[in-house]
C-alpha cells in the first residue's frame, strides 16, 4: 500500500525530468524537476538521520510555501519521522505550546523571522535540539551551536549516504500506511488547538478517493498559497501532488498571491471563503472605479442566468447573448484574475454566502463547496454538479467521499467515520475519547442535516446555536453569512441569545468601501475614519435592511429582525484571539472582549466608548444604529 515516500519515489522514477515544484523569487520563477527534488530529499533525509532523527520523532515545519519545506516534510517521512506544520505567524506562547506538545526534536524553517522567534523560546522547549533554516540572510553573526542551514544538512547527508549505502532504502521500506505521517493542529475555534495525528494511510487513501472522484490529473497546475499548517492544504496540495505528480507553484510571498495567481493560471484551486470574498470585493471595487455600465449590465445578466439555472432551466446562459457575455466580459474578467484555466475550484472551512458562490458560478468558474475538519484530513464531503446547480443544493456540502460515512446524532451534531478519520489527538487520550468513540465515529462539533439522498447541509457550530427569549432557535451563522454577502462587509457577528431581537457587529471591507467612498467624493483619513462616516453607516444599513426583509427565509418565520448594529472601528484581530488565522470568528472571545458593546446595543444608548484594555483610555466612540 502506498505511503508518501513510496509515492515520491514513484514520481521521481517515472517523471524525473518533469517540473515538480516552482517558486517565484525576485520576480522570476525557478523550477525543480522531480530529479532535483529526489537529490535534495535524499540528502536532507540522510543529513537528519546523521544528526540523530529517529522514526516517530517530530520535526516542526515553520514557514510559507517554499520548495525546501516541502522537501523537508518528505525527507522526515522517509525516515518514519513526523512533520508538524506550524503557522509561521504563531506568537511566542503558541510556538512554545505547539513545540512542547508535539515534542519537536528539530525545527526546519524558512528564514530569519522564524529563527529569531525560536531563539527567543529555545530554553522553554525541552526537546528542541536544533533549528535548520532555508534562507540564511542576516544570520552570519548568529550563534550556530544549535543552528544550521539546509545546505549544511545536505552536505552532512551526502557524507552519511556514502558511509551508509543502503540506509535510506532500508528505512523507507519500514514506513507503512499505519506509520504516523503528520500532526495537524486544529484552528481552536471553540477552544485550545489540538494536534490531530494522521497516518500515511489516512491521507493517501483520502487523497486517492478525492482524486478519483474529481478526476485530478498529472497535468494540473496548483498555486500553493494556503498555510502549510492547514489540513486542507496538506490533503489538496501535498497529498494530491505526490499522488498525481502535478506541478506545485509557490508564490513569492503572501502579499503577491493575487499577482502570482495571474502568472500561474492554475487549473485547480482550493481556497477558504474569505479568499473568494476578497476576490469578489476587488472585482466590485474595480467595477466602481471604472464608471462603466458594462459591469452592471453583465453582472445582472450573470445573476439572472444563474437564477434561471437554479430554477430548472438547463439551457440558461446559452445562445448568442451568453456567448457575447463570455466574450466581452466574463472571459476577460477571469483572465485578469488568473481564473481562465480553472477546471475546478473548491472552497471549504467556513460558510460561503450564496451571493458570492453564485457570482463565481455565474461568470463561469466551476466552484464547489467542500466540508471537512482537521480530524478528517480536511475533507468529508464534496459537492457534485447536481447539487451546485439546483436551488435546494446550493447551500449543501455534497455527499461523503467514497470510503466515508456520516450520520446525525440526536442533538443534530454531524459525526463521520472512514478512511479519513484521524488516529488520535497527540498526547491527549481524554480529548481523543471525547471526540472519537470506540466504533470510530468522530464528532465534528457542527450541527447539520442529512437528506434522504445523503446530501449534507451544515447549520452552525454546536456551541454557537442558542435561543431567543421567545424560545425559538437562533442560528447566528446564517445571519452572518447573509450580511457578508455584501461586498462592503468583511465580517459580521450576530448577537441574540436570550434576547427578543438581533444585534450585530459589522466590520467593513476597507477596499470596497474605500473605493465606494472615493467614487462618491467622501473624504476620509484611514480605516477608522472611514468606518465612522455617516454615509458608511447608511451604506451598511441598506444591507442590514435587505437581510431583514428576507430574514424569515434565512432563519424561519419566528426569527426577529436585526434591530441595532455597530460598525467596528477596526478589523477583528488574530493576536487578540478574536479570529483564527483561517478567518473563523471566535465567538466567545469577541463576546467577552466587547461585552460593553453588546450591553449598549441592548440598551437605550446611541453610542458607546471603546476603551483600551491595558491603559483604560478611550480609543473610539462608536455610534449604535437602529433599523
Amino acid at each position: 500500500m502506498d505511503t508518501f515516500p513510496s509515492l515520491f519515489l514513484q514520481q521521481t522514477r517515472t517523471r524525473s525530468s518533469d517540473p515538480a515544484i516552482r517558486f517565484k523569487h525576485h520576480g522570476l520563477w525557478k523550477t525543480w524537476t522531480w530529479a532535483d527534488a529526489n537529490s535534495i530529499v535524499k540528502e536532507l533525509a540522510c543529513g537528519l538521520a546523521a544528526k540523530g532523527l529517529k522514526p516517530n520523532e517530530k520535526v516542526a515545519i515553520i514557514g510559507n510555501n517554499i520548495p525546501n519545506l516541502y522537501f523537508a516534510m518528505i525527507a522526515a517521512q522517509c525516515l518514519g519521522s513526523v512533520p508538524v506544520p506550524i503557522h509561521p505567524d504563531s506568537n511566542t506562547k503558541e510556538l512554545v505550546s505547539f513545540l512542547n506538545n508535539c515534542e519537536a526534536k528539530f525545527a526546519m524553517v524558512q528564514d530569519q523571522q522564524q529563527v529569531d522567534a525560536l531563539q527567543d523560546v529555545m530554553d522553554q522547549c525541552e526537546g528542541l535540539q536544533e533549528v535548520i533554516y532555508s534562507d540564511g540572510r542576516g544570520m552570519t553573526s548568529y550563534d550556530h551551536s544549535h543552528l544550521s542551514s539546509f545546505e549544511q544538512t545536505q552536505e552532512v547527508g551526502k557524507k552519511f549516504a556514502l558511509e551508509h549505502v543502503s540506509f535510506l532504502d532500508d528505512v523507507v521500506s519500514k514506513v507503512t500506511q499505519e506509520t504516523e505521517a503528520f500532526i495537524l493542529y486544529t484552528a481552536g475555534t471553540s477552544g485550545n488547538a489540538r494536534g490531530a495525528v494522521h497516518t500515511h494511510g489516512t491521507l493517501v487513501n483520502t487523497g486517492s478517493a478525492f482524486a478519483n472522484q474529481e478526476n485530478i490529473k498529472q497535468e494540473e497546475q496548483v498555486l500553493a498559497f494556503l498555510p502549510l499548517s492547514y489540513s486542507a492544504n496538506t490533503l489538496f496540495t501535498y497529498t494530491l501532488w505526490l499522488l498525481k505528480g502535478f506541478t506545485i507553484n509557490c508564490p513569492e510571498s503572501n502579499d503577491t498571491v493575487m499577482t502570482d495567481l495571474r502568472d500561474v493560471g492554475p487549473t485547480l484551486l482550493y481556497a477558504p471563503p474569505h479568499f473568494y470574498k476578497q476576490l469578489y470585493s476587488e472585482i466590485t471595487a474595480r467595477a466602481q472605479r471604472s464608471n462603466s455600465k458594462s459591469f452592471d449590465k453583465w453582472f445582472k445578466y450573470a445573476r439572472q442566468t444563474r437564477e434561471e439555472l437554479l430554477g430548472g432551466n438547463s439551457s440558461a446562459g446559452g445562445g448568442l447573448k451568453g456567448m457575447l457575455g463570455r466574450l466581452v466580459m466574463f472571459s476577460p474578467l477571469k483572465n485578469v484574475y488568473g481564473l481562465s484555466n480553472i477546471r475546478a475550484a473548491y472552497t471549504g472551512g467556513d460558510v460561503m454566502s450564496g451571493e458570492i458562490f453564485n457570482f463565481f458560478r455565474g461568470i463561469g468558474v466551476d466552484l464547489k463547496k467542500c466540508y471537512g475538519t482537521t480530524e478528517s484530513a480536511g475533507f468529508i464531503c464534496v459537492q457534485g454538479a447536481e447539487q451546485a446547480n439546483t436551488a435546494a443544493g446550493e447551500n449543501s456540502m455534497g455527499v461523503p467521499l467514497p470510503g466515508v460515512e456520516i450520520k446525525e446524532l440526536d442533538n443534530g451534531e454531524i459525526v463521520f467515520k472512514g478512511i479519513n478519520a484521524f488516529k488520535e489527538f497527540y498526547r491527549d487520550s481524554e480529548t481523543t475519547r471525547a471526540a472519537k468513540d470506540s466504533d470510530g465515529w468522530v464528532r465534528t462539533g457542527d450541527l447539520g442535516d442529512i437528506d434522504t439522498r445523503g446530501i449534507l447541509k451544515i447549520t452552525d457550530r454546536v456551541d454557537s446555536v442558542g435561543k431567543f427569549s421567545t424560545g425559538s432557535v437562533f442560528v447566528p451563522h446564517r445571519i452572518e453569512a447573509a450580511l457578508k454577502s455584501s461586498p462592503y462587509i468583511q465580517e459580521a457577528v450576530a448577537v441574540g441569545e436570550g434576547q427578543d431581537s438581533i444585534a450585530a457587529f459589522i466590520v467593513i471591507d476597507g477596499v470596497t468601501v474605500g473605493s465606494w467612498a472615493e467614487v462618491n467624493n467622501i473624504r476620509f483619513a484611514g480605516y477608522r475614519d472611514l468606518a465612522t462616516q455617516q454615509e458608511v453607516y447608511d451604506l451598511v444599513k441598506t444591507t442590514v435592511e435587505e437581510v431583514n426583509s428576507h430574514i424569515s427565509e434565512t432563519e424561519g418565520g419566528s426569527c426577529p429582525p436585526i434591530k441595532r448594529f455597530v460598525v467596528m472601528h477596526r478589523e477583528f484581530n488574530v493576536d487578540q484571539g478574536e479570529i483564527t488565522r483561517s478567518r473563523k470568528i471566535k465567538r466567545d472571545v469577541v463576546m467577552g472582549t466587547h461585552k460593553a458593546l453588546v450591553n449598549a446595543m441592548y440598551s437605550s444608548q446611541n453610542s458607546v466608548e471603546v476603551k483600551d484594555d491595558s491603559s483604560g483610555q478611550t480609543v473610539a466612540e462608536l455610534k449604535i444604529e437602529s433599523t
Side-chain angles (χ1 to χ4, degrees):
M1 300 293 283
D2 285 325
T3 63
F4 286 119
S6 71
L7 289 170
F8 174 72
L9 293 174
Q10 180 181 327
Q11 298 297 349
T12 62
R13 286 193 298 268
T14 60
R15 310 193 66 206
S16 61
S17 61
D18 291 342
I21 192 164
R22 300 168 71 232
F23 176 49
K24 193 175 184 182
H25 188 57
H26 295 317
L28 299 174
W29 288 95
K30 181 179 178 181
T31 300
W32 285 258
T33 65
W34 285 102
D36 296 330
N38 187 41
S39 297
I40 296 170
V41 166
K42 287 183 175 179
E43 290 165 3
L44 285 175
C46 288
L48 289 169
K51 289 173 179 285
L53 185 65
K54 300 288 193 300
N56 207 41
E57 291 185 328
K58 313 304 184 290
V59 180
I61 306 292
I62 312 175
N64 296 319
N65 286 273
I66 61 170
N68 269 347
L69 292 185
Y70 280 87
F71 301 150
M73 291 190 286
I74 305 170
Q77 290 171 335
C78 284
L79 299 176
S81 303
V82 186
V84 186
I86 296 174
H87 201 289
D89 292 335
S90 297
N91 59 40
T92 299
K93 182 179 178 181
E94 291 170 329
L95 269 180
V96 172
S97 175
F98 292 147
L99 291 169
N100 282 333
N101 176 261
C102 75
E103 302 175 303
K105 188 172 185 177
F106 292 91
M108 304 188 78
V109 307
Q110 181 176 357
D111 56 28
Q112 185 180 18
Q113 178 184 341
Q114 292 83 44
V115 170
D116 288 347
L118 287 170
Q119 287 200 326
D120 289 341
V121 301
M122 197 87 173
D123 59 344
Q124 301 175 52
C125 302
E126 297 177 2
L128 188 60
Q129 295 183 7
E130 187 173 347
V131 177
I132 303 171
Y133 56 81
S134 175
D135 183 348
R137 286 178 296 178
M139 292 185 282
T140 306
S141 61
Y142 281 31
D143 177 5
H144 275 62
S145 55
H146 298 285
L147 188 64
S148 63
S149 69
F150 269 64
E151 289 85 354
Q152 289 168 333
T153 304
Q154 288 173 245
E155 287 302 317
V156 171
K158 289 177 184 177
K159 182 178 179 181
F160 183 90
L162 290 173
E163 296 171 352
H164 304 81
V165 177
S166 64
F167 169 79
L168 195 57
D169 289 338
D170 292 342
V171 73
V172 165
S173 69
K174 295 175 183 176
V175 178
T176 70
Q177 286 214 325
E178 287 70 43
T179 303
E180 294 176 2
F182 278 101
I183 294 178
L184 302 172
Y185 281 94
T186 61
T189 309
S190 303
N192 295 326
R194 302 178 299 275
V197 178
H198 282 282
T199 65
H200 288 258
T202 300
L203 291 161
V204 170
N205 294 335
T206 305
S208 294
F210 182 93
N212 292 336
Q213 177 176 296
E214 299 300 305
N215 193 28
I216 307 300
K217 304 173 182 177
Q218 68 179 29
E219 296 82 15
E220 311 289 3
Q221 293 286 335
V222 172
L223 183 68
F225 67 95
L226 292 178
L228 295 171
S229 56
Y230 285 15
S231 59
N233 186 69
T234 303
L235 195 292
F236 189 85
T237 305
Y238 183 81
T239 304
L240 294 183
W241 173 54
L242 293 176
L243 274 166
K244 306 307 293 187
F246 55 57
T247 304
I248 290 178
N249 299 272
C250 300
E252 185 158 13
S253 72
N254 292 335
D255 296 330
T256 65
V257 167
M258 290 301 182
T259 301
D260 298 337
L261 181 68
R262 290 192 287 271
D263 278 359
V264 173
T267 58
L268 295 178
L269 180 65
Y270 177 92
H274 70 80
F275 173 86
Y276 294 99
K277 166 75 172 175
Q278 179 185 351
L279 205 54
Y280 176 64
S281 296
E282 288 194 15
I283 293 170
T284 301
R286 186 186 187 95
Q288 289 172 338
R289 291 191 297 268
S290 74
N291 287 321
S292 170
K293 301 292 185 183
S294 293
F295 280 98
D296 290 340
K297 172 186 173 182
W298 287 111
F299 288 176
K300 182 179 179 180
Y301 170 74
R303 281 193 293 271
Q304 289 174 340
T305 300
R306 178 71 179 155
E307 288 170 4
E308 290 176 16
L309 184 64
L310 294 176
N313 181 4
S314 59
S315 63
L320 182 60
K321 189 170 184 179
M323 184 173 65
L324 186 62
R326 289 187 288 275
L327 180 66
V328 303
M329 177 56 68
F330 305 139
S331 292
L333 183 67
K334 289 192 292 182
N335 187 56
V336 166
Y337 290 97
L339 306 177
S340 294
N341 297 329
I342 294 285
R343 188 176 61 78
Y346 303 88
T347 188
D350 205 351
V351 174
M352 172 180 276
S353 75
E355 173 72 20
I356 295 171
F357 180 72
N358 286 324
F359 172 81
F360 282 104
R361 290 198 68 88
I363 66 171
V365 177
D366 185 18
L367 180 60
K368 302 177 184 180
K369 295 182 181 180
C370 306
Y371 172 68
T373 63
T374 304
E375 297 89 334
S376 70
F379 289 86
I380 296 172
C381 297
V382 181
Q383 257 186 350
E386 67 279 6
Q387 291 114 42
N389 286 328
T390 61
E394 179 189 339
N395 295 316
S396 80
M397 297 298 170
V399 297
L401 288 170
V404 178
E405 299 176 59
I406 57 174
K407 70 177 182 180
E408 188 178 339
L409 299 181
D410 291 341
N411 69 344
E413 183 179 358
I414 300 300
V415 295
F416 74 93
K417 74 172 182 177
I419 58 173
N420 60 344
F422 78 129
K423 177 182 177 181
E424 63 186 358
F425 288 123
Y426 190 63
R427 299 174 63 200
D428 194 344
S429 56
E430 183 179 347
T431 306
T432 301
R433 285 193 298 271
K436 184 179 182 181
D437 70 18
S438 57
D439 293 324
W441 289 101
V442 182
R443 304 180 79 109
T444 64
D446 292 321
L447 291 176
D449 177 70
I450 305 168
D451 70 15
T452 55
R453 298 165 296 170
I455 296 173
L456 174 65
K457 184 177 180 180
I458 292 296
T459 304
D460 206 334
R461 296 291 295 172
V462 171
D463 54 9
S464 294
V465 175
K467 289 187 176 182
F468 295 110
S469 59
T470 59
S472 57
V473 176
F474 170 47
V475 184
H477 229 126
R478 292 174 180 168
I479 301 295
E480 292 158 2
L483 289 167
K484 290 193 291 184
S485 67
S486 165
Y488 303 115
I489 296 178
Q490 183 186 85
E491 298 291 350
V493 176
V495 183
E497 173 75 20
Q499 304 290 342
D500 61 0
S501 65
I502 299 172
F505 298 97
I506 303 294
V507 176
I508 60 170
D509 187 300
V511 174
T512 51
V513 176
S515 178
W516 172 86
E518 290 172 3
V519 169
N520 288 278
N521 298 314
I522 299 168
R523 295 183 178 182
F524 61 95
Y527 184 95
R528 182 176 297 184
D529 185 36
L530 178 64
T532 61
Q533 299 291 326
Q534 182 57 49
E535 293 91 341
V536 171
Y537 264 84
D538 293 340
L539 179 68
V540 171
K541 188 173 182 177
T542 301
T543 295
V544 173
E545 290 176 341
E546 173 67 17
V547 171
N548 276 342
S549 69
H550 299 288
I551 205 159
S552 61
E553 300 170 21
T554 304
E555 283 272 313
S558 60
C559 180
I562 303 170
K563 190 170 284 187
R564 308 190 88 193
F565 69 89
V566 63
V567 177
M568 299 298 289
H569 59 296
R570 62 170 176 80
E571 297 180 357
F572 290 134
N573 195 298
V574 171
D575 291 335
Q576 294 188 22
E578 296 166 326
I579 196 167
T580 70
R581 289 185 173 83
S582 56
R583 306 298 301 178
K584 293 180 181 177
I585 296 292
K586 299 184 78 169
R587 187 173 300 277
D588 57 338
V589 176
V590 171
M591 298 293 282
T593 302
H594 302 289
K595 186 177 181 180
L597 265 177
V598 175
N599 293 337
M601 285 194 285
Y602 284 104
S603 72
S604 59
Q605 290 178 237
N606 293 319
S607 64
V608 62
E609 290 185 344
V610 178
K611 297 184 181 295
D612 181 81
D613 289 338
S614 56
S615 67
Q617 294 183 338
T618 300
V619 295
E621 183 170 356
L622 304 182
K623 177 184 175 183
I624 300 173
E625 184 74 36
S626 299
T627 59

